Amino acid sequence: MVLVKVSDIKLNIDLDEKAAFEKALKIAGIKKENVRDGKIIKYSVDARHKDHIKKIYTVGLYVDKYGKNRKNVTVINHEKKYKPEITGNSKLNNSPVVVGFGPAGMFLGYMLAEYGYKPIIIERGSKVEERIKKVEKFWNTGELDTNCNVQFGEGGAGTFSDGKLNTGIKDKFNRIGFVLDTFVKFGADKNITYDAKPHIGTDILAKVVENMRKYIESKGGTFYFDTAFTGFATKEGKLESITLNGNEKMYTDICTLAIGHSARDTFEMLYENNVNMEQKPFAVGVRIEHKQSTINKSQYGFEDNRIGAANYKLTYNTSKNRGVYSFCMCPGGYVVNSASEKNKTVVNGMSYSKRDGENANSALVVTVTPKDFDGDSPLAGVEFQRKMEEKAYEIGQGFVPVQTYRDYKDNCPSVKIGNITPQIKGNYRLADLNAIFPEYINESLKEGIEYFGEKIKGYNDGDVILSAVESRTSSPVRIVRDENFQSNVYGLIPAGEGAGYAGGITSAAIDGLKIFEYITSKYKPVN
């Protein structure tokens, strides 16, 4: 049996997948009764011409044989599947430990359990069911649990986001396909496997995470929730044990640190224990909200969501050579208070699977480098973030500070909003965001927003809402590792976004897969 791939199938926006299959059969010259199975391989929208928007499909048809030569038709005799092999022979004295159950930890833990390694997974936050309650309590009352919040807990920071899965990394091993298929296996919609801009949605992602945990447990994995990784010990230059909650010792040969980009106390502990770390660039800025109908009108030519809520991706280099760009754009989404430390305010964005909220929001951020930080400590970027988060908390009086773009541009505090109502999880207060940032960030944001107004009509309208501070775009540190994924403490393996080796759900999950591959190349499963 072969896979006949029919690409560049263009349909009017009122047609659906059924029409795509029918057109694929016609293009390929295949009779419906000869098709064993079929699937959508890729879907996107071509909106370059607003009066002639098209849905673009690539369809796969499984048939016994195919010998024709037709335009836009290719034959795949062997589909590439991700299937790692165990080649290691060394014995593990203890089960491997994974610290953190965000995307990197989830996929590493899943694969270790699937292949018989019986992983132990440490998560400082709570199970996702309990975590949701604690996060909603924080949004409603302001009462913050510093170990379980939007940043920490089962599923990682991505659980309270849009669940975007697109990535720009190269992938010759089909790890990306495996990650997407695994999410579907545990409850995500199958459309993430072919959508050009796949997303799961916060409401669905929480259930996917829970299902993955239960499967890992069924395969011999063990979870310790509400448990902090607080130290480690070595013997003869190698990892011997880790410390939990300050006083509990656990012996292990391998501990993977999938700790996330906000585990600042863990970064500090590692630095104090001479784990090699370095500063890295990241970006800071605001969340910007527009009516979703405004974005739809600009991108599609009509205001409604008939082909889904429109998104955008914008970049600009300022007159002073600062990068300004949109990040983590959430169509029909919400701005969320994402604090993880007392007396600090952080914002992020999230969408539910239907993306049917009234507003669109996106991070709008400015690149910063170690040259902008005070001092040469590996943790200087963390302190750079903290200063802005403290100022945001101060001017918002504990709430998310918001401002209209008109007032932000004019350097005056907002006293009223216009025709866009902030769509925020958590309380907000009108303020002057200029007070939060160094002047070069304010200048860069204003210049960028004016430029983006030339690309998207209405982007720089005065009533547009800004909120602050978007400071957790990526990790401010990198935990140094070698070609075998090892830190300078052998057995202590940095992983994922927090360690500085990924930038989103999919790339972090793939980093977890790579570490699994390394472990299986050295060690055999636990007896």
Side-chain angles (χ1 to χ4, degrees):
M1 189 164 62
V2 298
L3 174 64
V4 178
K5 187 170 79 170
V6 186
S7 58
D8 201 31
I9 300 171
K10 298 178 180 179
L11 299 177
N12 292 331
I13 60 174
D14 58 337
L15 297 176
D16 58 13
E17 293 179 5
K18 182 179 178 182
F21 277 104
E22 291 173 352
K23 193 166 183 179
L25 291 169
K26 184 176 180 180
I27 292 171
I30 297 173
K31 293 182 179 180
K32 186 176 181 180
E33 57 265 28
N34 292 334
V35 177
R36 295 281 196 92
D37 199 1
K39 64 180 181 180
I40 302 294
I41 295 176
K42 189 175 181 180
Y43 164 76
S44 61
V45 173
D46 183 352
R48 289 174 294 177
H49 306 288
K50 303 296 184 291
D51 58 345
H52 198 60
I53 297 175
K54 292 291 185 181
K55 293 179 178 179
I56 311 295
Y57 287 92
T58 297
V59 170
L61 304 170
Y62 289 95
V63 296
D64 289 324
K65 60 182 180 179
Y66 186 83
K68 299 176 183 180
N69 184 11
R70 297 200 173 192
K71 184 181 178 181
N72 295 331
V73 178
T74 56
V75 178
I76 300 173
N77 292 304
H78 302 285
E79 287 188 86
K80 185 176 289 186
K81 298 288 187 181
Y82 175 74
K83 192 170 179 62
E85 296 181 0
I86 298 173
T87 58
N89 291 313
S90 297
K91 180 182 178 182
L92 284 167
N93 296 314
N94 302 281
S95 292
V97 173
V98 181
V99 177
F101 200 59
M106 286 166 57
F107 275 81
L108 174 56
Y110 167 62
M111 294 301 287
L112 288 172
E114 184 81 340
Y115 281 73
Y117 287 82
K118 299 179 181 177
I120 296 173
I121 298 168
I122 309 298
E123 171 55 59
R124 71 187 298 164
S126 305
K127 293 180 180 180
V128 69
E129 309 97 302
E130 299 167 19
R131 182 186 180 196
I132 290 171
K133 295 176 183 177
K134 291 180 179 181
V135 168
E136 289 179 344
K137 182 178 181 180
F138 168 60
W139 287 338
N140 291 329
T141 69
E143 185 178 327
L144 176 67
D145 184 330
T146 56
N147 283 315
C148 187
N149 44 62
V150 172
Q151 306 293 346
F152 302 140
E154 186 177 26
T159 302
F160 291 93
S161 73
D162 191 55
K164 280 176 285 295
L165 302 174
N166 48 301
T167 178
I169 64 175
K170 298 185 184 299
D171 177 36
K172 64 180 181 180
F173 299 104
N174 197 34
R175 296 188 184 106
I176 293 175
F178 178 80
V179 168
L180 299 178
D181 287 341
T182 301
F183 279 131
V184 171
K185 174 181 176 179
F186 290 108
D189 194 294
K190 190 172 179 60
N191 64 18
I192 67 169
T193 63
Y194 56 79
D195 198 311
K197 296 179 180 179
H199 81 106
I200 298 178
T202 295
D203 47 338
I204 305 299
L205 189 55
K207 191 63 181 177
V208 170
V209 169
E210 180 184 351
N211 290 341
M212 286 191 76
R213 178 235 305 163
K214 290 178 177 178
Y215 184 84
I216 291 169
E217 289 176 327
S218 75
K219 291 288 186 174
T222 303
F223 284 81
Y224 289 77
F225 288 105
D226 304 301
T227 301
F229 164 66
T230 53
F232 64 90
T234 61
K235 184 177 182 180
E236 298 177 354
K238 296 182 178 181
L239 180 68
E240 181 187 39
S241 65
I242 62 172
T243 304
L244 306 176
N245 296 329
N247 55 15
E248 303 171 28
K249 181 176 284 191
M250 178 180 288
Y251 289 94
T252 185
D253 310 89
I254 298 175
C255 178
T256 299
L257 302 178
I259 55 178
H261 58 39
S262 296
R264 293 167 170 174
D265 53 353
T266 308
F267 293 147
E268 290 164 358
M269 180 275 291
L270 295 171
Y271 179 56
E272 290 167 1
N273 284 276
N274 301 313
V275 174
N276 288 344
M277 306 168 72
E278 59 189 20
Q279 300 175 349
K280 66 177 280 293
F282 56 103
V284 296
V286 297
R287 278 271 152 186
I288 185 166
E289 289 185 81
H290 302 83
K291 285 187 178 295
Q292 183 62 51
S293 58
T294 298
I295 304 302
N296 289 351
K297 180 71 174 177
S298 176
Q299 302 296 76
Y300 295 151
F302 46 81
E303 295 186 349
D304 60 70
N305 285 9
R306 71 186 74 169
I307 54 174
N311 57 31
Y312 61 81
K313 184 177 182 180
L314 300 167
T315 62
Y316 175 65
N317 203 46
T318 72
S319 57
K320 294 184 178 178
N321 206 31
R322 286 272 178 184
V324 182
Y325 62 95
S326 64
F327 173 79
C328 186
M329 193 270 166
C330 298
Y334 296 80
V335 174
V336 297
N337 190 336
S338 305
S340 59
E341 294 182 322
K342 297 286 188 182
N343 301 324
K344 296 173 183 63
T345 297
V346 180
V347 290
N348 194 7
M350 70 173 233
S351 295
Y352 296 116
S353 55
K354 292 183 179 179
R355 287 178 163 176
D356 56 359
E358 183 177 345
N359 292 355
N361 77 76
S362 175
L364 198 66
V365 292
V366 179
T367 55
V368 294
T369 73
K371 292 180 181 179
D372 299 308
F373 309 155
D374 292 329
D376 56 5
S377 165
L379 302 180
V382 172
E383 293 309 310
F384 183 84
Q385 291 173 322
R386 276 178 168 154
K387 287 180 182 179
M388 287 179 286
E389 292 168 12
E390 288 168 355
K391 193 67 178 177
Y393 184 89
E394 176 188 329
I395 70 166
Q397 299 178 46
F399 298 157
V400 173
V402 303
Q403 187 173 25
T404 64
Y405 176 58
R406 177 187 301 106
D407 293 334
Y408 178 61
K409 184 169 60 173
D410 292 341
N411 296 318
C412 64
S414 287
V415 294
K416 64 178 181 178
I417 59 174
N419 67 358
I420 301 175
T421 301
Q423 198 162 272
I424 295 178
K425 295 288 188 178
N427 294 314
Y428 63 87
R429 186 182 298 276
L430 295 171
D432 183 5
L433 305 191
N434 287 278
I436 296 173
F437 302 106
E439 189 54 30
Y440 63 83
I441 291 180
N442 286 320
E443 290 177 352
S444 298
L445 286 171
K446 293 170 189 179
E447 186 177 335
I449 291 171
E450 288 302 308
Y451 175 79
F452 296 147
E454 299 174 10
K455 304 298 179 181
I456 296 179
K457 187 177 180 180
Y459 201 87
N460 60 339
D461 283 357
D463 287 346
V464 165
I465 295 293
L466 308 179
S467 54
V469 58
E470 173 76 57
S471 54
R472 310 284 180 90
T473 53
S474 66
S475 182
V477 303
R478 179 175 288 109
I479 306 173
V480 179
R481 71 188 189 191
D482 64 19
E483 65 277 6
N484 292 317
F485 303 96
Q486 299 285 350
S487 69
N488 61 308
V489 177
Y490 191 87
L492 205 60
I493 299 176
E497 188 166 343
Y501 296 96
I505 292 174
T506 301
S507 61
I510 287 172
D511 202 51
L513 294 180
K514 290 178 180 178
I515 290 167
F516 166 75
E517 292 160 18
Y518 166 74
I519 291 173
T520 59
S521 74
K522 298 294 181 183
Y523 301 100
K524 55 188 178 182
V526 177
N527 291 328

